[in-house]
């Protein structure tokens, strides 16, 4: 019996309407468009303004977009995995609510948390269910309402992140297309470089944690940058080597959109020209779990059956890695 591979067969996405530009940020914190553009490549990001909507709203919209485009019956979905760093609430997985809301009533569901590597790790998880032969349709969503955990007085973090969601469907493939190889890594020594201190079991919420402003993202940007720029490139280079590939063989790099300079360092190491690198950081910023599927959402029409893609990410934890995948369909 030939091996079952796990292929992406549909893509969806959603970003909220409100555009937070660098110019607007200049009126909120001591920053400027030139600094943000030169250091990160970001010009604007989308923000979910509605106070009564959480990450589930973004995830549901992205999933609905996928279902509407692909005409897949949600009742046929076996599993919904939601990669997120900003669940609606800590207990009662957000993915379960999302699955029910989109009509995936026969699916089971859960959340997967690995900061900016959540979607990359989720690809491996989703693919394993398919490769096992037990499940036929796995919906993987990456969604984050980063604006809910940012301090808009901290110029070192609030300029970087945005809100958004993307979704992909994994199905079995008989032609060997889909996920081919993966290198996934973590290092707990990075825990204190990118974190939210309070609100978990180690430091539960209290008047003091609120007074100390410990419920927002803290990032030691320089340290994270140093690790991200080497680790993401290392993993991407290694996955090429291991599969006897060079930059010439690869059609697309799908990189986590945290910083233009990190993306460029990775593509340089892979000997890839700019035209082969998916980039939307300038318009969405860093949407954490949503960066990779939002790249696919924006570039889907350019992808052809058999194209070789390398996905790469780096995030808090630390967590990072690269996945090599062959694309399974021509533009529809
Ligand atoms: O997705 C999860 C993983 N995260 C990442 O991969 C992010 C990795 N880190 C980075 O992308 C970069 O470190 C940042 C974009 C966060 C910062 O860029 P940087 O080039 O590392 O800047 P820096 O922190 O070294 O700061 C340089 C200067 C400092 O001023 P002095 O000390 O040189 O006078 C900062 O105070 O820039 C100042 N600065 C700003 N100036 C204007 C910091 N933030 C801002 C700002 N606007 N928003």
């Amino acid at each position: 019996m030939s091996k079952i591979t796990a292929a992406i067969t549909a893509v969806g996405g959603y970003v909220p309407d409100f555009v937070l530009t660098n110019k607007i940020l200049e009126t909120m914190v001591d920053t400027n468009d030139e600094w943000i553009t030169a250091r990160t490549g970001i010009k604007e990001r989308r923000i979910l303004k509605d106070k009564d909507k959480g990450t589930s709203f973004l995830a549901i919209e992205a999933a609905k977009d996928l279902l509407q485009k692909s005409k897949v019956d949600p009742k046929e979905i076996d599993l919904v995995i939601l990669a997120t760093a900003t669940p609606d609430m800590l207990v009662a997985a957000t993915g379960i609510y999302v699955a029910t809301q989109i009509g995936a009533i026969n699916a089971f569901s859960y959340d997967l948390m690995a900061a900016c590597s959540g979607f990359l790790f989720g690809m491996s998880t989703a693919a394993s269910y398919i490769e096992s032969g037990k499940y036929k349709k796995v919906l993987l969503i990456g969604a984050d309402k980063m604006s809910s955990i940012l301090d808009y007085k901290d110029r070192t973090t609030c300029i970087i992140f945005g809100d958004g969601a993307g979704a992909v469907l994994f199905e079995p493939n008989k032609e060997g297309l889909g996920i081919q190889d993966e290198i996934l890594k973590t290092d707990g020594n990075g825990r204190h470089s990118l974190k939210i201190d309070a609100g978990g079991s180690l430091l539960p919420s209290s008047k003091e944690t609120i007074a100390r402003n410990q419920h927002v993202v803290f990032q030691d940007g320089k340290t994270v940058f140093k690790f991200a720029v080497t680790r993401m490139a290392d993993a991407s280079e290694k996955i090429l080597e291991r599969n006897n590939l060079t930059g010439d063989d690869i059609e697309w790099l799908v990189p986590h959109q945290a910083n233009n300079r990190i993306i460029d360092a990775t593509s340089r190491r892979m000997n890839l020209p700019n035209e082969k690198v998916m980039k939307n950081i300038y318009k969405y910023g860093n949407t954490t779990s949503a960066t990779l599927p939002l790249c696919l959402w924006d570039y889907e029409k350019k992808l052809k059956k058999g194209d070789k893609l390398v996905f790469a990410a780096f995030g808090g934890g630390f967590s990072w890695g690269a996945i090599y995948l062959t694309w399974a369909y021509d533009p529809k």
Side-chain angles (χ1 to χ4, degrees):
M1 206 178 80
S2 66
K3 190 174 165 278
I4 303 168
T5 49
I8 292 176
T9 56
V11 173
Y14 176 77
V15 287
D17 292 335
F18 182 79
V19 180
L20 179 60
T21 61
N22 290 351
K23 284 284 166 209
I24 300 175
L25 279 169
E26 283 180 7
T27 67
M28 297 163 66
V29 283
D30 180 15
T31 191
N32 55 79
D33 177 44
E34 295 71 35
W35 191 96
I36 302 174
T37 308
R39 301 282 178 134
T40 69
I42 302 167
K43 295 300 267 184
E44 56 191 44
R45 60 296 284 140
R46 300 300 184 97
I47 303 294
L48 181 58
K49 282 284 198 184
D50 315 51
K51 293 252 182 304
D52 60 340
K53 292 189 171 84
T55 291
S56 60
F57 174 79
L58 302 167
I60 289 165
E61 291 301 311
K64 279 187 186 163
D65 180 53
L66 180 149
L67 292 170
Q68 185 257 323
K69 277 165 63 188
S70 65
K71 311 275 183 283
V72 166
D73 179 354
K75 293 193 198 70
E76 287 177 10
I77 296 173
D78 301 302
L79 164 61
V80 176
I81 301 172
L82 175 64
T84 187
T86 54
D88 281 3
M89 49 184 93
L90 277 182
V91 177
T94 305
I96 297 176
Y97 176 70
V98 171
T100 301
Q101 290 301 112
I102 63 169
I105 51 171
N106 296 313
F108 72 106
S109 176
Y110 56 86
D111 294 353
L112 189 154
M113 241 184 180
C116 293
S117 303
F119 192 85
L120 189 83
F121 290 7
M123 288 174 70
S124 166
T125 310
S128 301
Y129 280 104
I130 297 289
E131 289 158 4
S132 76
K134 252 172 133 177
Y135 302 99
K136 304 277 181 260
K137 283 186 170 52
V138 179
L139 181 66
L140 173 64
I141 309 170
D144 271 303
K145 184 182 173 185
M146 293 305 291
S147 60
S148 67
I149 54 168
L150 291 175
D151 176 0
Y152 282 94
K153 288 191 219 62
D154 179 1
R155 67 176 184 174
T156 69
T157 52
C158 75
I159 57 125
I160 298 170
F161 297 97
D163 302 338
V168 300
L169 186 70
F170 277 96
E171 291 186 271
N173 187 280
K174 295 202 178 87
E175 299 172 89
L177 299 167
I179 294 204
Q180 306 294 321
D181 195 12
E182 64 184 35
I183 294 172
L184 306 178
K185 301 273 186 189
T186 52
D187 178 359
N189 291 312
R191 186 184 200 185
H192 294 293
S193 298
L194 178 46
K195 61 177 176 177
I196 296 176
D197 270 314
S201 58
L202 191 60
L203 185 59
S205 313
S206 66
K207 277 186 195 152
E208 288 74 27
T209 61
I210 292 167
R212 289 197 295 261
N213 199 26
Q214 288 178 299
H215 293 271
V216 292
V217 171
F218 160 84
Q219 176 172 241
D220 169 5
K222 265 192 199 327
T223 303
V224 178
F225 185 90
K226 202 177 81 192
F227 278 87
V229 85
T230 50
R231 300 294 191 272
M232 213 165 108
D234 285 348
S236 306
E237 186 180 34
K238 193 162 174 204
I239 210 155
L240 289 189
E241 268 171 32
R242 209 157 83 171
N243 290 279
N244 297 314
L245 299 166
T246 68
D248 289 343
D249 302 309
I250 300 298
E251 272 77 24
W252 293 102
L253 170 65
V254 193
H256 175 51
Q257 311 280 307
N259 188 313
N260 223 359
R261 292 180 284 150
I262 300 172
I263 298 172
D264 290 346
T266 304
S267 59
R268 267 199 304 276
R269 192 86 86 73
M270 296 170 73
N271 284 320
L272 283 184
N274 281 336
E275 310 81 73
K276 291 185 172 186
V277 182
M278 293 192 189
K279 270 190 197 180
N280 52 21
I281 186 169
Y282 64 93
K283 58 176 175 173
Y284 304 146
N286 181 349
T287 54
T288 302
S289 310
T291 59
L292 300 181
L294 281 176
C295 278
L296 294 179
W297 189 52
D298 277 347
Y299 284 80
E300 188 185 14
K301 287 200 165 61
K302 297 189 175 191
L303 296 171
K304 293 187 295 299
K305 188 173 173 180
D307 278 358
K308 296 183 176 66
L309 277 59
V310 171
F311 293 74
F314 184 91
F318 293 136
S319 55
W320 70 97
I323 288 182
Y324 164 38
L325 169 144
T326 46
W327 197 247
Y329 60 94
D330 285 320
K332 288 169 185 166

